[in-house]
């Protein structure tokens, strides 16, 4: 597929310390037909200087804008993209050399796929492996109701479907805008999984998902629950049972992050609510993880 062009959209904000490594991981791709759109969401650090040397490669584009958060930045990148497929990468993560080639290999097997996911790893700053995505089955639509295992890394979408369904730009949803979009897309298209490990996520102390403000996080969870529970396409595709499954696992996720933030009482309330609705969750890995976090906090 020599004509297959990938658009890699990288929203960034004050990540000069990691952005260079991210961009170098793209320079090292064995598959050459791609473009990189660095959407600088109002950085005040040296991000522009970090990007500058890469712009000698015509495949790299720098798109500075005012600060408006990730959903708007990603949507702006979508609007500028020229590739048949768009994928997203955060500016503190990276690709292994064969990432895009693995995407091509998958599309040669599934040429009609419009929404698919490659495997990824999570590493710490010392390079130690913390997690490797391993999923059962080739299609993951139903599994997505139990949590956002996709994050944004390794997800590939045909440009046309992202032009129809973009990231929700509601300020209340910041941090979950990717999950809400993946659920909308999963209600309309098969979500395929290719187990090849194409990318890595870097776990570090400044990563935004590791910090929590109780009130803002609660508003975000409420916004996510409202949007997903009332989306007609999701209701039609997954029915009430699927929406309830999503709600239960969202409460478990809410409970875990409250526990991690030291809000033990509030975390316990969310956990009890979920268990009342579905007692069988007590045997799940998520419940055990929350219980351990509560005991340690």
């Amino acid at each position: 597929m020599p004509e297959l062009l990938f658009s890699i959209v990288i929203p960034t904000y004050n990540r000069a310390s990691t952005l260079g490594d991210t961009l170098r991981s793209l320079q090292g791709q064995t598959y050459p037909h791609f473009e990189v759109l660095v959407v600088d969401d109002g950085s005040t650090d040296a991000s522009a200087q970090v990007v500058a040397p890469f712009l000698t490669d015509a495949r790299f584009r720098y798109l500075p804008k005012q600060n408006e958060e990730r959903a708007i930045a990603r949507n702006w990148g979508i609007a500028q993209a020229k590739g048949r497929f768009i994928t997203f990468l955060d500016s503190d993560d990276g690709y292994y050399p064969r990432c895009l080639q693995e995407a091509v290999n998958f599309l040669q097997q599934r040429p009609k796929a419009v929404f698919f996911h490659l495997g990824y790893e999570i590493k710490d700053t010392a390079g130690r492996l913390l997690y490797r995505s391993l999923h059962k089955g080739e299609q993951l639509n139903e599994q997505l109701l139990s949590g956002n295992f996709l994050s944004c890394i390794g997800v590939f979408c045909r440009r046309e479907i992202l032009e129809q369904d973009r990231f929700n730009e509601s300020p209340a949803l910041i941090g979950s805008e990717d999950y809400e979009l993946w659920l909308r897309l999963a209600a309309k298209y098969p979500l395929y999984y290719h187990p090849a490990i194409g990318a890595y996520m870097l776990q570090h102390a400044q990563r935004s998902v590791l910090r929590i403000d109780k009130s803002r996080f609660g508003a975000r969870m409420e916004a996510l629950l409202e949007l997903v529970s009332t989306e007609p396409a999701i209701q039609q595709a997954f029915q009430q049972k699927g929406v309830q499954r999503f709600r239960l696992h969202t409460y478990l996720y809410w409970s875990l992050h409250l526990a991690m933030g030291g809000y033990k009482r509030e975390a316990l309330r969310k956990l009890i609510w979920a268990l009342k609705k579905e007692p069988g969750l007590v045997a799940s890995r998520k419940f055990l993880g929350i219980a351990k976090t509560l005991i340690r906090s």
Side-chain angles (χ1 to χ4, degrees):
M1 294 184 178
E3 79 290 353
L4 179 58
L5 176 69
F6 295 101
S7 295
I8 306 165
V9 175
I10 304 177
T12 187
Y13 176 71
N14 287 349
R15 285 279 187 242
S17 61
T18 58
L19 180 57
D21 288 339
T22 296
L23 298 179
R24 276 186 285 274
S25 77
L26 302 180
Q27 281 185 318
Q29 290 300 295
T30 59
Y31 183 82
H33 303 291
F34 64 89
E35 64 171 357
V36 179
L37 295 86
V38 180
V39 182
D40 190 334
D41 196 35
S43 293
T44 57
D45 64 0
S47 292
Q49 292 92 317
V50 170
V51 176
F54 295 90
L55 300 181
T56 57
D57 185 334
R59 297 175 299 179
F60 287 73
R61 299 162 62 192
Y62 180 58
L63 306 173
K65 59 182 291 298
Q66 66 182 18
N67 181 252
E68 294 175 298
E69 275 295 348
R70 286 169 294 188
I72 297 175
R74 289 181 181 129
N75 284 340
W76 201 45
I78 291 169
Q80 310 298 317
K82 301 175 182 177
R84 284 173 55 193
F85 277 85
I86 297 176
T87 186
F88 303 93
L89 184 63
D90 286 344
S91 53
D92 44 4
D93 301 327
Y95 282 175
Y96 292 122
R98 285 185 55 81
C99 181
L100 295 181
Q101 183 60 57
E102 290 294 349
V104 172
N105 293 346
F106 170 77
L107 287 167
Q108 288 174 335
Q109 302 168 23
R110 290 280 185 180
K112 294 184 179 181
V114 299
F115 181 31
F116 68 95
H117 169 52
L118 297 185
Y120 67 94
E121 296 176 337
I122 300 178
K123 303 188 296 185
D124 65 16
T125 53
R128 292 183 292 249
L129 180 65
L130 303 177
Y131 169 82
R132 178 176 287 136
S133 64
L134 296 171
H135 306 297
K136 295 181 179 179
E138 189 185 14
Q139 282 189 227
L140 303 179
N141 297 62
E142 293 286 340
Q143 295 181 44
L144 194 57
L145 295 168
S146 299
N148 184 22
F149 52 80
L150 297 182
S151 185
C152 249
I153 194 168
V155 179
F156 291 76
C157 303
R158 279 294 292 255
R159 190 180 72 245
E160 297 93 314
I161 72 172
L162 288 177
E163 290 172 342
Q164 297 173 16
D165 283 279
R166 297 196 180 188
F167 291 97
N168 189 303
E169 297 178 357
S170 168
L173 197 62
I174 292 171
S176 292
E177 71 283 342
D178 56 337
Y179 187 25
E180 191 270 341
L181 175 59
W182 306 148
L183 286 166
R184 268 189 284 131
L185 294 180
K188 301 176 182 180
Y189 312 100
L191 168 56
Y192 290 105
Y193 172 60
H194 182 48
I197 302 296
Y200 62 88
M201 182 183 296
L202 186 64
Q203 198 77 294
H204 55 85
Q206 297 304 311
R207 198 165 191 105
S208 58
V209 296
L210 300 180
R211 304 190 300 273
I212 178 175
D213 175 284
K214 183 178 67 171
S215 297
R216 291 182 63 182
F217 190 82
R220 169 181 151 194
M221 292 296 97
E222 293 288 1
L224 177 63
L225 287 165
E226 176 66 19
L227 285 166
V228 172
S229 299
T230 58
E231 168 60 44
I234 292 174
Q235 291 179 328
Q236 182 176 356
F238 298 118
Q239 305 299 314
Q240 185 58 39
K241 185 176 180 180
V243 173
Q244 179 66 8
R245 177 180 172 187
F246 159 77
R247 182 173 290 272
L248 288 171
H249 285 275
T250 298
Y251 267 78
L252 290 180
Y253 178 82
W254 196 345
S255 176
L256 175 61
H257 281 260
L258 286 169
M260 291 168 60
Y263 303 107
K264 191 170 183 177
R265 182 177 298 178
E266 293 89 340
L268 193 57
R269 286 175 183 164
K270 302 301 179 188
L271 183 60
I272 290 172
W273 184 94
L275 291 177
K276 284 182 177 179
K277 297 290 184 179
E278 182 54 67
L281 290 172
V282 74
S284 69
R285 292 177 61 186
K286 285 185 179 180
F287 172 82
L288 293 175
I290 296 169
K292 289 179 181 178
T293 304
L294 284 169
I295 290 170
R296 289 196 300 263
S297 64

